[in-house]
């Protein structure tokens, strides 16, 4: 993918050389801000059989898709995974040749759409709009064959499609979703990205007002709360536990279940949640 983007970074289009990393930053920002746990996954990881441990795989601006990766992704979805790809994606194969996206192709088999062409929405020409989301960047001319259109652009074109394949689901975000989020200041696009990436899935924990990271240990889960603002109080909710009993891992204080958690300004807190 990086090699194809690099080939496009010729005079006048030098910005393309930063596209892969910007897309990964954008997707990461969206999931971090929504307190959704995530990891970077490689083809080697998927070949090693780690795919089933992930409920969702997200492909940010994957312009090129090599043959062996396509086989692995199709198998992942057929076995029950949720694959999500945003734009621009699936334009080339590993050799820089245009990827077949006609009826009966790998693309149509997986995503339930035919991809006819790519266009570009630009602020000073024809801006892209999808409800409360305004954007500039690549979009695709999609024709759903089996997929359901779950969201449309303001001009009526498909913005999000979802196709059932085997036991899983393949989703197309027909927006430059991850690329639109690489800088702060795109909360509406971040919400759209996360909402359609997760589908029916939910994060195992939630916390409004703080960033949260979780590490699992044999006897307890450890939560790290980060407050990048004035002193505040937050509530950390954990799926399956109505009143979790947290312990401060630094001073040993046991927090009263259900009570707000105090966070100092521009600071953090390390909490421990013993396993039942």
């Amino acid at each position: 993918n990086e090699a194809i983007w690099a080939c496009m970074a010729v005079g006048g289009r030098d910005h393309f050389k930063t596209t892969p990393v910007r897309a990964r930053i954008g997707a990461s920002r969206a999931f971090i801000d929504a307190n959704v746990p995530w990891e970077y996954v490689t083809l080697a990881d998927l070949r090693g059989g780690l795919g089933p441990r992930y409920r969702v795989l997200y492909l940010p601006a994957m312009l090129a898709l090599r043959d062996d990766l396509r086989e692995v992704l199709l198998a992942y979805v057929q076995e029950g995974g949720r694959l999500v790809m945003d734009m621009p994606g699936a334009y080339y194969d590993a050799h820089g040749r245009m990827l077949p996206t006609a009826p009966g192709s790998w693309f149509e088999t997986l995503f339930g759409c035919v991809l006819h062409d790519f266009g570009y929405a630009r602020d000073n020409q024809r801006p892209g709009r999808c409800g409360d989301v305004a954007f500039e960047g690549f979009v695709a001319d999609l024709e759903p064959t089996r997929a359901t259109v779950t969201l449309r652009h303001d001009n009526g074109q498909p913005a999000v499609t979802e196709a059932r394949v085997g036991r899983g689901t393949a989703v197309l975000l027909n927006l430059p979703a991850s690329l639109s989020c690489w800088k702060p200041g795109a909360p509406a696009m971040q919400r759209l990205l996360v909402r359609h990436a997760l589908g029916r899935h939910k994060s195992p924990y939630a916390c409004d007002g703080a960033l949260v990271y979780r590490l699992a240990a044999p006897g307890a889960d450890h939560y790290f709360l980060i407050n990048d603002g004035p002193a505040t109080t937050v509530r950390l909710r954990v799926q399956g536990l109505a009143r979790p009993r947290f312990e401060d891992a630094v001073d040993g204080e046991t927090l009263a279940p259900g009570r707000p958690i105090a966070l100092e300004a521009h600071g953090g807190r390390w909490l421990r949640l013993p396993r039942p």
Side-chain angles (χ1 to χ4, degrees):
N1 191 49
E2 285 85 350
I4 298 299
W5 279 112
C7 290
M8 295 179 62
V10 296
R13 299 191 299 181
D14 303 65
H15 61 282
F16 282 143
K17 65 184 178 183
T18 62
T19 296
V21 68
R22 287 184 177 186
R24 288 193 286 268
I25 290 172
S28 302
R29 181 188 305 283
F31 291 126
I32 288 172
D33 286 352
N35 285 324
V36 175
W38 60 275
E39 297 176 347
Y40 288 119
V41 181
T42 66
L43 176 56
D45 295 329
L46 299 178
R47 281 177 173 166
L50 295 183
R53 71 179 291 181
Y54 301 105
R55 295 183 179 182
V56 179
L57 291 182
Y58 191 95
L59 305 180
M62 288 291 291
L63 193 70
L65 295 166
R66 48 192 282 180
D67 294 351
D68 49 352
L69 175 59
R70 298 200 300 269
E71 294 172 2
V72 170
L73 294 178
L74 178 58
Y76 166 79
V77 175
Q78 290 172 330
E79 293 167 6
R82 181 177 178 87
L83 179 69
V84 184
M85 182 170 67
D86 66 14
M87 291 295 119
Y91 199 110
Y92 299 108
D93 65 12
H95 306 287
R97 298 174 300 211
M98 187 171 292
L99 189 73
T101 57
S105 64
W106 169 89
F107 181 91
E108 192 271 339
T109 298
L110 181 56
F111 291 105
C113 293
V114 171
L115 194 161
H116 293 295
D117 201 359
F118 281 91
Y120 197 89
R122 189 182 300 275
D123 285 342
N124 62 358
Q125 294 178 6
R126 200 171 68 184
R129 291 207 64 91
C130 184
D132 61 345
V133 177
F135 63 90
E136 175 183 347
F138 288 98
V139 291
D141 178 7
L142 292 177
E143 177 188 348
T145 54
R146 294 178 296 99
T148 300
V149 178
T150 60
L151 183 68
R152 291 187 181 273
H153 293 291
D154 287 7
N155 64 6
Q157 295 301 308
V160 181
T161 65
E162 186 168 323
R164 294 288 301 177
V165 184
R167 300 198 304 272
T169 308
V171 178
L172 279 176
L173 301 186
N174 189 16
L175 309 99
S178 56
L179 285 172
S180 299
C181 299
W182 84 277
K183 289 183 178 181
M189 183 66 90
Q190 288 186 200
R191 289 192 296 269
L192 184 151
L193 187 159
V194 172
R195 182 171 71 252
H196 290 283
L198 294 186
R200 62 180 178 81
H201 300 302
K202 294 184 181 298
S203 175
Y205 54 86
C207 182
D208 298 328
L211 299 181
V212 182
Y213 298 88
R214 183 182 70 172
L215 289 177
D221 287 335
H222 295 258
Y223 293 86
F224 302 86
L225 284 66
I226 300 173
N227 175 31
D228 190 24
T232 188
T233 58
V234 299
R235 295 182 185 274
L236 176 58
R237 301 179 295 280
V238 179
Q239 270 194 30
L241 296 177
R243 294 168 61 83
R245 183 178 292 274
F246 296 104
E247 300 172 354
D248 191 299
V250 176
D251 61 19
E253 176 191 1
T254 298
L255 280 65
R259 296 290 299 274
I261 300 167
L263 297 177
E264 63 183 24
H266 304 288
R269 198 161 184 182
W270 173 11
L271 300 181
R272 182 177 181 274
L273 180 62
R275 296 182 183 273

